[in-house]
Amino acid sequence: MLLKSVELSGFKSFAKKSAFQFTSAISAIVGPNGSGKSNVAEAFRFVLGEQSIKSLRGKRGEDLIWNGGKDAPRSNRADVKVIFDNSRRFLNIDFDEVSIERVVNRDSSNEYFINGSQVRLKDIVELLAHAHIGSSGHHIISQGEADRILGSSMKERREMIEDALGLKIYQYKRQESERKLEKTLSNLVQVESLRREVAPHLRFLKKQVEKLERIEQLKENLKVKALEYLKREEIYLSNEEKSIEGARKPLEDEFKTCGEELNSAKEALEKSSGKDKKSDELISLEKKIKEAREKSEGIIQKVGKLEGRIVAEEEILNKQKEIALSSEHKTVPLVEVENLVKEAEGSIEEAEKAGGLETFKAVLFSLRQMLRSFIENKKGQTDSRIIQDTERKIQEFKHLKDEADNNLAGIKKIEEELYRQYESLRKEIETAKDSSRDAEKKMFEIMSRQKEISAELNVLRERARRLTSESEEFKREIAEIAALAGREILEYKSFSVDSSDENREKQEERKREIEKFKIRLEDSGLLGGEDVMKEFKETSERDSFLEKEINDLRDSAESLKKLIVDLGEQLDREFKEGIEKINKEFQNLFALMFNGGSASLKLIKAQKRIKKETDDLELPTDNVESEEKEEFEEGIDIDVVLPRKKIKGLMMLSGGERALTSIALLFAMSQVNPPPFIILDETDAALDEANSKKYGDMIEDLSKSSQLILITHNRETMSRAGVIYGVTMDSGGVSKTLSIQFDEATAVAK
Ligand code: ATP
């Protein structure tokens, strides 16, 4: 037997713990009216999860709890426990014996247990649904409810039959899939809106990244040009240095030798001619010439330095002018921006005070005009302050240079004058003195050579000065290019070029190209490249994540929709097949009961009018109308034709005929898909003796596939039971059970 026992304690009239053991295929429960038999049937409904208190003949949960009597105080809780033999695993749980227990407390709270462990109602309903013990209770027929199936609506009938056919499990699955689908669709809406939120930011970042990539390309171009340019410049500078050094050394050496020779010539002159006045003069002139030369050399150096600075400043000035002309780096004095903001705020405040859409629009219009003209004005202006500074500096340097040039010219004049005097004195002495004045001659020669050397050295010094300023310029260029194109530019040292080509014009051409790239790079603005790249990467990763999420959600919504359709189709198919099978049994049982006639279930579609409100947000509100929509509802109708009577339709049947018809249908349903047990509470009440016999036969037949618990006053029915329980009620209103023999049963039943 699958159903082993049921225990009631504190449930309705069963104040004390009472147990029923169901050891036989058919058990009967007998007893006088009001003794508590139906309470046992209700205890089954209760423990199997019934949620309608009304169908347990109560108004509140409390009504199910023993309410107290003469001999026993009221209970705090009602407790029913049913025990199944699960050695054949008809319940999907790995225990040989399974107890299901439900407790209701006075505060109407419920507790559920499987094998003593607390569980949720859902767990119990699912466990039982798999074993075809549905919660609609098609297998528990309460007192007076035998013909419920005849009286109920077509839709309710359909539900009862679905339950009896074991199709509820598809319903559960379908409902669960529908819930999941709803959840999936609402997730989809959320994720789609998240993705829409990301989109504009992503577009913005993409544009930034494209700009950065263009900048990268410019840098690369600059690098390629700069490597060659810098290498060539380095070669040029080093060659120039070598060439200057190479020329200077011998000249300086010779100059030094000349000095020594001059000294010895002077000594010889002094010795040979004594202290000649003219010679003294000559020596003094020579000294003055030396001084003037030293002075002019000093000034030449100074002029050189000033020229270098002027060139450098002029380059700076050019750059500043370029920047001033480009509109990206315009400097606007803070006070002008503050004034603009103040003016804008004033207009906004006025508009706020005045209110009204028109004023607001007018203010917006004037604000736009104001901002546009501000920008236009600023565009036209150049930032002259810094430029003026630089120009002033250049002017200063030029002024200093002019001064130095003037000085130099003065000294040169003096120098020339000295030379002139010197030359004429020399000629004088030469003509005046005789050939014994060889030393003097020698001295003049040396001095003239010294003058030549000095001029050559000056040229060299000039070259050296230019070289220094070019080297400085070179260093500055490297730093500038590295700042724009990156430090890899320093690799120019290992760049190989054809060193024979030292054409300076070509090199100038390269320099101009590099300048162009530099300007374009500076104009494009270099800041924040890495941050933008990082943010773009993160944002596009998030976007693809959301895209994948959306696709996944769409896929799962699609497969859920398909599953729902499939489950519906399966349900329909199995339902139709089930109806056919039930009809076969129903026809047989009906003919057996009524000795002929016919009965069948019919699947029909009934029209149903449903009011439906249009809730389309796109429509203007005054167009919203409620429209009536026709829908078809599937239900079950019952056709009966009694033998020898011209009666058709359920309405015309007598009480007994109704009872017989519904019993036939119930039994037919139970035979097609037998539930583990069936409880019938006085289903046989309306039957006469002959029909009681037929009922008894059918019960025996039914007991081959389902365990039966029969609450009855009918002797014939009692006679078919293997075990009979008597239920009596004592004077305190407490129900009691006793196991009795068939002979006693009829006595107890009265
Ligand atoms: P019949 O043969 O007339 O159908 P029955 O044996 O099926 O009778 P029940 O309907 O099961 O009788 O029992 C009803 C009895 O149970 C009533 O006497 C009722 O007072 C009692 N009863 C119901 N609920 C409670 C409760 N909460 N506390 C105490 N007694 C209760």
Side-chain angles (χ1 to χ4, degrees):
M1 297 300 115
L2 294 176
L3 180 62
K4 284 179 89 171
S5 63
V6 65
E7 278 173 29
L8 298 75
S9 52
F11 186 82
K12 289 202 163 183
S13 56
F14 288 86
K16 302 210 175 89
K17 189 168 176 174
S18 309
F20 296 83
Q21 308 291 336
F22 303 108
T23 49
S24 167
I26 304 177
S27 306
I29 298 175
V30 304
N33 290 136
S35 58
K37 300 185 297 299
S38 296
N39 292 345
V40 178
E42 271 153 15
F44 271 101
R45 276 193 192 284
F46 171 74
V47 74
L48 298 178
E50 177 64 67
Q51 292 302 299
S52 151
I53 296 286
K54 214 171 120 204
S55 78
L56 300 173
R57 290 187 297 169
K59 284 202 184 86
R60 293 156 296 165
E62 249 190 338
D63 296 338
L64 304 179
I65 305 172
W66 163 247
N67 209 17
K70 189 160 66 71
D71 303 321
R74 67 178 202 157
S75 301
N76 285 327
R77 49 190 243 144
D79 184 350
V80 178
K81 179 152 105 181
V82 64
I83 296 174
F84 293 102
D85 176 357
N86 195 37
S87 48
R88 282 189 281 150
R89 297 290 183 271
F90 86 104
L91 293 170
N92 186 20
I93 178 171
D94 204 15
F95 287 100
D96 284 347
E97 189 173 276
V98 176
S99 75
I100 293 176
E101 187 177 357
R102 178 177 177 184
V103 172
V104 61
N105 299 296
R106 285 222 169 257
D107 62 1
S108 289
S109 63
N110 283 272
E111 292 159 60
Y112 302 88
F113 302 87
I114 292 177
N115 282 1
S117 306
Q118 190 153 9
V119 293
R120 296 164 304 172
L121 169 63
K122 188 172 170 267
D123 302 319
I124 292 192
V125 170
E126 273 180 19
L127 182 68
L128 294 173
H130 277 95
H132 189 40
I133 310 174
S135 60
S136 82
H138 64 277
H139 49 81
I140 303 177
I141 307 299
S142 296
Q143 196 174 358
E145 267 206 339
D147 62 349
R148 180 161 67 112
I149 192 158
L150 302 189
S152 52
S153 74
M154 291 195 304
K155 194 170 166 235
E156 283 166 347
R157 255 182 234 146
R158 182 180 165 122
E159 272 169 21
M160 270 189 251
I161 290 168
E162 271 179 1
D163 200 3
L165 287 171
L167 304 180
K168 267 274 156 2
I169 197 74
Y170 295 126
Q171 298 274 32
Y172 289 141
K173 280 188 191 161
R174 191 159 69 171
Q175 279 160 11
E176 203 173 300
S177 305
E178 278 164 355
R179 265 197 307 277
K180 274 191 203 157
L181 178 62
E182 206 177 306
K183 185 113 210 299
T184 307
L185 291 176
S186 99
N187 283 347
L188 185 61
V189 169
Q190 272 176 20
V191 179
E192 279 174 340
S193 104
L194 281 180
R195 191 166 181 225
R196 268 199 303 279
E197 277 170 30
V198 171
H201 189 47
L202 187 64
R203 271 200 300 278
F204 168 75
L205 287 172
K206 192 154 183 256
K207 272 195 197 129
Q208 295 288 96
V209 166
E210 280 165 7
K211 197 171 160 194
L212 282 172
E213 280 165 357
R214 281 200 298 277
I215 291 174
E216 275 311 307
Q217 189 55 49
L218 277 176
K219 277 189 190 177
E220 194 51 41
N221 294 349
L222 171 61
K223 209 165 92 185
V224 172
K225 288 273 168 223
L227 284 174
E228 185 182 357
Y229 168 78
L230 293 175
K231 184 65 191 178
R232 287 197 183 283
E233 198 64 7
E234 184 192 53
I235 293 171
Y236 160 76
L237 291 173
S238 119
N239 285 350
E240 180 70 1
E241 189 183 353
K242 271 185 220 145
S243 134
I244 293 170
E245 282 309 307
R248 179 159 58 195
K249 187 82 176 69
L251 282 174
E252 277 176 354
D253 287 351
E254 196 186 343
F255 194 80
K256 212 174 144 201
T257 321
C258 283
E260 284 159 10
E261 280 174 4
L262 192 64
N263 280 342
S264 31
K266 265 192 254 170
E267 272 169 30
L269 186 66
E270 272 171 28
K271 268 183 211 154
S272 66
S273 63
K275 300 249 184 252
D276 179 53
K277 202 176 158 227
K278 276 200 170 135
S279 295
D280 280 350
E281 215 177 305
L282 198 72
I283 287 164
S284 126
L285 270 175
E286 187 253 318
K287 207 172 150 196
K288 277 183 193 160
I289 287 171
K290 193 182 164 216
E291 277 166 12
R293 197 163 54 217
E294 275 167 5
K295 220 177 203 171
S296 69
E297 274 168 11
I299 294 171
I300 286 169
Q301 264 178 16
K302 195 176 164 189
V303 169
K305 271 186 200 153
L306 284 169
E307 276 172 349
R309 294 187 72 173
I310 289 168
V311 170
E313 287 297 329
E314 273 173 348
E315 278 195 30
I316 292 172
L317 181 67
N318 285 340
K319 200 142 281 161
Q320 284 169 344
K321 281 184 179 164
E322 267 167 30
I323 289 173
L325 284 172
S326 78
S327 51
E328 261 188 58
H329 300 283
K330 196 73 74 187
T331 312
V332 179
L334 180 63
V335 63
E336 285 183 34
V337 180
E338 279 173 345
N339 285 341
L340 179 74
V341 171
K342 219 179 271 169
E343 211 176 314
E345 279 175 346
S347 306
I348 293 168
E349 265 169 37
E350 255 173 52
E352 280 170 347
K353 269 184 214 148
L357 189 62
E358 284 313 311
T359 329
F360 202 61
K361 271 186 187 166
V363 170
L364 278 183
F365 180 76
S366 77
L367 274 180
R368 189 164 58 197
Q369 295 297 102
M370 198 166 92
L371 292 174
R372 274 185 186 163
S373 68
F374 182 82
I375 299 285
E376 282 311 312
N377 284 341
K378 290 302 143 201
K379 259 188 200 164
Q381 285 178 14
T382 48
D383 187 10
S384 55
R385 197 170 39 78
I386 305 170
I387 293 176
Q388 280 167 0
D389 278 354
T390 314
E391 280 173 345
R392 209 181 47 246
K393 249 189 231 168
I394 293 173
Q395 284 314 317
E396 261 170 41
F397 289 145
K398 279 191 177 159
H399 180 67
L400 289 174
K401 184 180 166 280
D402 286 348
E403 265 179 14
D405 279 342
N406 283 342
N407 278 345
L408 188 64
I411 288 175
K412 284 267 179 211
K413 230 182 219 161
I414 295 169
E415 208 181 327
E416 270 165 33
E417 176 57 27
L418 287 173
Y419 268 119
R420 206 190 46 73
Q421 286 175 15
Y422 185 88
E423 207 54 31
S424 70
L425 189 62
R426 186 179 63 84
K427 276 182 191 145
E428 244 176 73
I429 293 171
E430 234 165 82
T431 44
K433 303 290 171 187
D434 56 26
S435 58
S436 66
R437 292 282 186 153
D438 272 355
E440 252 177 34
K441 208 174 159 194
K442 172 84 176 158
M443 208 171 102
F444 298 139
E445 273 168 23
I446 293 169
M447 282 179 70
S448 116
R449 177 63 191 145
Q450 262 190 333
K451 195 185 164 197
E452 273 168 33
I453 293 172
S454 167
E456 279 176 52
L457 277 173
N458 272 345
V459 171
L460 281 181
R461 276 194 204 100
E462 175 57 25
R463 272 175 71 189
R465 187 198 56 73
R466 213 171 47 229
L467 181 67
T468 315
S469 102
E470 280 171 343
S471 297
E472 287 303 315
E473 169 74 5
F474 181 58
K475 277 188 211 148
R476 200 176 52 74
E477 276 177 329
I478 293 175
E480 260 186 32
I481 296 171
L484 290 169
R487 296 192 59 76
E488 305 95 84
I489 199 65
L490 301 179
E491 288 160 16
Y492 77 86
K493 282 180 187 292
S494 49
F495 190 82
S496 76
V497 292
D498 172 11
S499 58
S500 63
D501 175 18
E502 284 187 27
N503 185 334
R504 289 304 280 167
E505 257 175 47
K506 273 193 193 163
Q507 182 72 338
E508 283 302 318
E509 177 60 33
R510 287 184 200 108
K511 184 173 171 151
R512 276 194 293 281
E513 271 186 71
I514 285 174
E515 282 306 317
K516 275 187 215 153
F517 280 124
K518 272 158 64 178
I519 290 166
R520 281 172 68 190
L521 264 175
E522 277 167 348
D523 279 353
S524 59
L526 285 168
L527 286 173
E530 260 175 45
D531 287 352
V532 170
M533 282 303 216
K534 192 167 161 253
E535 203 178 338
F536 175 69
K537 191 169 167 272
E538 284 169 3
T539 312
S540 54
E541 274 170 7
R542 175 152 172 73
D543 182 64
S544 357
F545 169 76
L546 290 174
E547 187 186 10
K548 192 179 167 295
E549 195 83 343
I550 286 170
N551 289 338
D552 288 353
L553 285 168
R554 281 190 187 140
D555 287 352
S556 69
E558 276 315 305
S559 51
L560 280 169
K561 279 181 198 160
K562 190 173 175 302
L563 181 63
I564 290 166
V565 170
D566 287 353
L567 282 169
E569 282 170 4
Q570 191 168 4
L571 186 68
D572 269 1
R573 197 171 52 246
E574 293 200 14
F575 184 69
K576 279 178 190 137
E577 285 167 11
I579 291 284
E580 269 174 38
K581 285 185 198 153
I582 291 173
N583 270 342
K584 219 183 256 168
E585 298 291 336
F586 188 24
Q587 172 60 40
N588 287 343
L589 290 168
F590 187 84
L592 191 76
M593 290 259 189
F594 289 96
N595 290 322
S598 69
S600 65
L601 300 177
K602 249 187 7 203
L603 194 61
I604 55 160
K605 271 188 183 170
Q607 262 181 14
K608 195 180 172 192
R609 283 188 171 271
I610 291 175
K611 263 199 171 177
K612 192 188 167 225
E613 295 243 308
T614 44
D615 57 353
D616 193 343
L617 292 175
E618 298 290 311
L619 287 174
T621 40
D622 46 30
N623 266 5
V624 171
E625 304 173 349
S626 60
E627 58 176 40
E628 285 205 353
K629 199 185 158 216
E630 284 188 356
E631 247 186 28
F632 288 99
E633 189 185 48
E634 275 201 330
I636 296 290
D637 207 1
I638 302 172
D639 274 351
V640 282
V641 181
L642 289 185
R644 297 171 300 282
K645 289 188 182 176
K646 276 197 178 160
I647 283 179
K648 272 191 185 170
L650 292 172
M651 303 299 286
M652 315 288 279
L653 296 178
S654 78
E657 284 166 346
R658 268 181 89 81
L660 281 175
T661 308
S662 51
I663 288 166
L665 179 53
L666 285 176
F667 284 15
M669 277 156 61
S670 301
Q671 268 172 1
V672 168
N673 190 15
F677 63 91
I678 302 174
I679 300 170
L680 299 170
D681 190 352
E682 294 187 40
T683 318
D684 51 9
L687 304 184
D688 62 20
E689 218 181 304
N691 281 332
S692 293
K693 179 125 188 9
K694 284 181 194 158
Y695 180 79
D697 290 343
M698 276 196 280
I699 277 174
E700 271 186 39
D701 223 23
L702 205 57
S703 73
K704 285 174 196 148
S705 43
S706 299
Q707 208 174 337
L708 298 177
I709 294 153
L710 310 170
I711 297 168
T712 186
H713 291 288
N714 189 314
R715 217 186 124 75
E716 181 60 42
T717 309
M718 286 180 216
S719 74
R720 312 284 175 141
V723 170
I724 303 177
Y725 277 102
V727 177
T728 56
M729 189 173 267
D730 67 14
S731 57
V734 176
S735 294
K736 298 241 156 76
T737 62
L738 52 146
S739 183
I740 49 174
Q741 296 305 311
F742 173 66
D743 297 342
E744 301 163 79
T746 37
V748 171
K750 285 167 189 158

